[in-house]
Structure formats: structure tokens, C-alpha cells
Amino acid sequence: MSGSAYQGIIRRYRDALPIAEEHIVTLHEGNTPLLPAPQLAEQIFPGLDLYLKFEGLNPTGSFKDRGMTYAVSKAVEKGAQAIACASTGNTSAAAAAYGARAGLKVVVIIPAGKIALGKLSQALMHGAQVIQIEGNFDQALEIVRVLANESHCELVNSVNPNRLMGQQTAAFEICDYFAEAPQYHALPVGNAGNITAYWQGYETYFAQGKSTCKPQMLGFQAEGASPIVKGEIVKNPETVASAIRIGNPANWESALKVRDDSGGLIDAVTDTEILASYQLLARYAGYFAEPASAASVAGVVKLAQQGFFKAGDRVVCTLTGHGLKDPDNAIANSPQPQTLPADAKQVLSVIKL
Ligand code: AN7
């Protein structure tokens, strides 16, 4: 293999992610597509210069891989034998995969029955100890914090600053692509780790003179799980977007700071709006993202309807996770296939071209 072949975000952005070569744990994450989406823009607001950063094409199918490669590498550097996390699904999939790669024991604590099928299958396949609690993500996070305090287990939720350092590389990639930062950056908000990490990345590039502006950060929570918008903890969060079914975000304070420092906003979108954008994305952009990811697009749709944008504005939406993670929601929100006898005449009779 050529020495210059792509080998993941730590080697790509060495200066921002310092660590000795021998400790690097990577699945060659990052370098994800930043796709122009003019047909989708046409549906939302003609003239919008819309791009999709498809994080579903990371090795485990979500943006969590960027944070996990650095958090697990740093855990290995420290000599940790085990890592643990609470998760709505994607963090557990990434922790399980990177932990397997590093030969670490992995413990994941998830809300029973509230994890998308693909994510559960990933944690199980990679050999993590999976504990389902009869409770929600916020309770799982409290339990895993106790575990990390009372053991030598490394906590790899986004309260671990190494996670955010890794995740900021998505902002680096976007600025490298445009040779500038976009005007607006929209993304879903759960624990608010990712919006914090992107802002950190944009600020770093700006400070280094690699961009001349910083974007306004547009964060979107699901209405039934929108503590930051409401300004109070949501005890029983509910949303079809199970990845962001979070009532007490771990990075709440920093989310408010990002909103204010960037001149952006954090708003809520309903499940109906999320599902409409979930389908718009699949039909008009050709990207199949999971429901939580569609919250970024749903938010842009909502703002566009309010007259927020003008023609030519450049907006990047992060699609945080792959649609294949959650086949149940995909099938439940699509027309069902027709079943017919294996007979050409009957099959052709129902096909509309
Ligand atoms: C697809 O996996 O919290 O605001 O435990 O999986 O940084 O929390 C996942 C979060 C958006 C929200 N989109 O990001 C977990 C978890 C997808 C996600 C988010 C998540 P943050």
C-alpha cells in the first residue's frame, strides 16, 4: 500500500490530535463526502447553496468514529484495559468496534428497547458487554459515570474531551474542501457534543488563519426531547429519532455558548418534520440517513419557511448516521412492496413508467 494512502483522522490531522504512532487505534475513519445537494435545495429553498456532510460513511456508520479513534487511542496510551459508555446506540457501536480493534474490554449501557436495530447488532457483533437498563439514556449516563469513578474503566462518552477533539476534524475537512468556512452549519443536537466539537474545529481553523470567517451554528433537537430549547430537563424524552432521545444533555452549557458565540440558534423540530426530511433526503439527495440526522435538514426547512435564508447562502447539514442503522423506521415510513405471483403479465400490469 502506498505510504500516502488515507489512514484516518489522527494521521491526517496530526497537529490537532497529538499521540505517539504506536498508540493509534484507527479504522481509517473520516474523509467523508461533502456532497452538493441542488435538487434537495430546490425542494427547500431555491438558490440555497446546500451541502451534505455524510458521516454515515464512517466505518461504523456514524460521526462517533472520529471521536472514538482519539478517545480509544488516548485510553491505550494511558494503559487502560477497559472502556465504557452510555448510549442511544451510535456511541456504543463505535466504542465496541474501536475497543475490539484495540483489544480492550468494552461495557455499554443502553436504554432497553430504544436502540435502533443496526446499532444493537453492531455492539453485540463486536463483543461488547451490553447492558440494557429499564430506563432512558440520561439514567444510563449517570450509572456509567459511577462505574468510571469506581473502576479503572475509561469513560468514552462526549464528556471525555478527547472525543470532542476527534470530532472537530469534520469541521477541518469542510474548511479544507471550501478553503473557507460555510456561512451556516446545521446539525442535530442530543448531548450537544458534536455541535461543541464542530465549533471548536471552526474556531481553531479561524485562529490559524485557515478560514476568514466562522459559521453560524444551527442546532436542532427533537421537540419531545428538547431540553436546551425549553431551558429545563425533560424527564421522559420521546422522539422517533432515538439517537437524540436525550433529556439532560451532557454538554448543555457549552451548547449555549456555541449558540451565542457563533450568533446561531438552537431550535426544535417535530417528529413529523424529521420524518418528512428523512424522506426528502433519500428521494432528492440520494443519501439514506437515520432519522436523527434528518433533524438538521428539518431545521433548515423550518428556517427557510420563516424566510431565514437568502439566495446564495451556503449551508452545510451534517448527516450524522447512516439510514441502514434503523431499518425499522425506514420500512415503517415507506410504501410497502407489492407481492405478486411470479408471472410477467401480472408483474408488468402493475408497473407505472
Ligand atoms: C445519529 O450514541 O448520544 O449532540 O449515545 O447518534 O453530540 O449527542 C448519539 C447522538 C446526532 C447527537 N445524530 O449528537 C449516543 C448518542 C446521531 C447520533 C446525535 C447522535 P450529540
Side-chain angles (χ1 to χ4, degrees):
M1 191 176 72
S2 150
S4 63
Y6 184 78
Q7 293 179 14
I9 59 160
I10 295 178
R11 293 192 180 105
R12 171 72 181 83
Y13 295 107
R14 272 182 193 285
D15 295 349
L17 302 171
I19 189 152
E21 184 67 25
E22 77 231 52
H23 296 133
I24 295 177
V25 180
T26 179
L27 297 171
H28 294 190
E29 59 295 309
N31 199 23
T32 55
L34 181 60
L35 185 76
Q39 298 88 345
L40 180 63
E42 198 64 30
Q43 296 296 315
I44 298 173
F45 179 70
L48 201 64
D49 190 22
L50 181 65
Y51 287 78
L52 305 171
K53 181 71 171 159
F54 192 29
E55 291 290 279
L57 285 189
N58 278 296
T60 79
S62 89
F63 72 97
K64 304 286 183 182
D65 293 355
R66 293 179 187 274
M68 210 52 77
T69 182
Y70 198 53
V72 172
S73 297
K74 293 297 274 185
V76 166
E77 180 185 51
K78 260 169 84 174
Q81 301 294 313
I83 58 173
C85 66
S87 184
T88 58
N90 280 324
T91 301
S92 65
Y98 283 82
R101 179 77 186 188
L104 302 176
K105 181 170 171 51
V106 180
V107 178
V108 307
I109 306 182
I110 57 176
K114 296 293 185 180
I115 300 296
L117 199 61
K119 303 173 189 180
L120 181 59
S121 72
Q122 288 177 290
L124 296 171
M125 274 299 287
H126 290 300
Q129 181 176 1
V130 178
I131 299 168
Q132 309 198 60
I133 59 158
E134 293 160 342
N136 60 32
F137 168 85
D138 305 293
Q139 294 166 303
L141 184 60
E142 282 172 32
I143 293 168
V144 86
R145 281 182 197 265
V146 175
L147 172 71
N149 275 336
E150 295 186 1
S151 69
H152 294 295
C153 206
E154 190 71 5
L155 186 61
V156 293
N157 279 104
S158 60
V159 290
N160 180 333
N162 295 320
R163 279 274 313 276
L164 304 191
M165 285 177 72
Q167 284 171 213
Q168 71 177 330
T169 59
F172 296 167
E173 289 177 12
I174 291 165
C175 294
D176 287 343
Y177 179 99
F178 292 125
E180 184 52 286
Q183 278 161 286
Y184 298 98
H185 191 122
L187 68 175
V189 172
N191 269 306
N194 212 26
I195 195 167
T196 303
Y198 267 93
W199 182 243
Q200 193 178 314
Y202 283 124
E203 288 216 298
T204 300
Y205 257 41
F206 182 77
Q208 294 175 352
K210 291 177 180 164
S211 60
T212 65
C213 67
K214 292 180 273 184
Q216 291 181 34
M217 302 299 292
L218 311 173
F220 299 98
Q221 301 197 291
E223 184 132 293
S226 54
I228 298 176
V229 179
K230 292 200 168 91
E232 60 187 14
I233 292 172
V234 175
K235 277 240 152 55
N236 297 303
E238 270 313 335
T239 169
V240 68
S242 59
I244 52 172
R245 187 172 167 272
I246 293 170
N248 186 13
N251 299 288
W252 192 325
E253 288 307 317
S254 62
L256 298 177
K257 189 166 161 30
V258 169
R259 179 195 66 190
D260 297 341
D261 289 356
S262 76
L265 55 85
I266 297 181
D267 200 355
V269 284
T270 65
D271 278 6
T272 306
E273 290 167 332
I274 288 172
L275 290 173
S277 286
Y278 179 52
Q279 287 172 333
L280 269 185
L281 266 169
R283 306 265 173 98
Y284 290 96
Y287 274 163
F288 180 23
E290 66 172 287
S293 304
S296 60
V297 176
V300 168
V301 170
K302 181 175 173 181
L303 293 179
Q305 285 166 353
Q306 295 168 355
F308 184 89
F309 300 110
K310 55 184 191 324
D313 281 351
R314 177 170 288 166
V315 182
V316 175
C317 289
T318 297
L319 304 181
T320 43
H322 204 292
L324 289 171
K325 295 261 190 184
D326 191 354
D328 294 321
N329 264 313
I331 292 167
N333 290 286
S334 298
Q336 299 309 294
Q338 287 171 279
T339 305
L340 290 172
D343 172 70
K345 204 166 164 223
Q346 288 194 56
V347 172
L348 266 59
S349 74
V350 301
I351 294 176
K352 301 177 220 100
L353 290 175

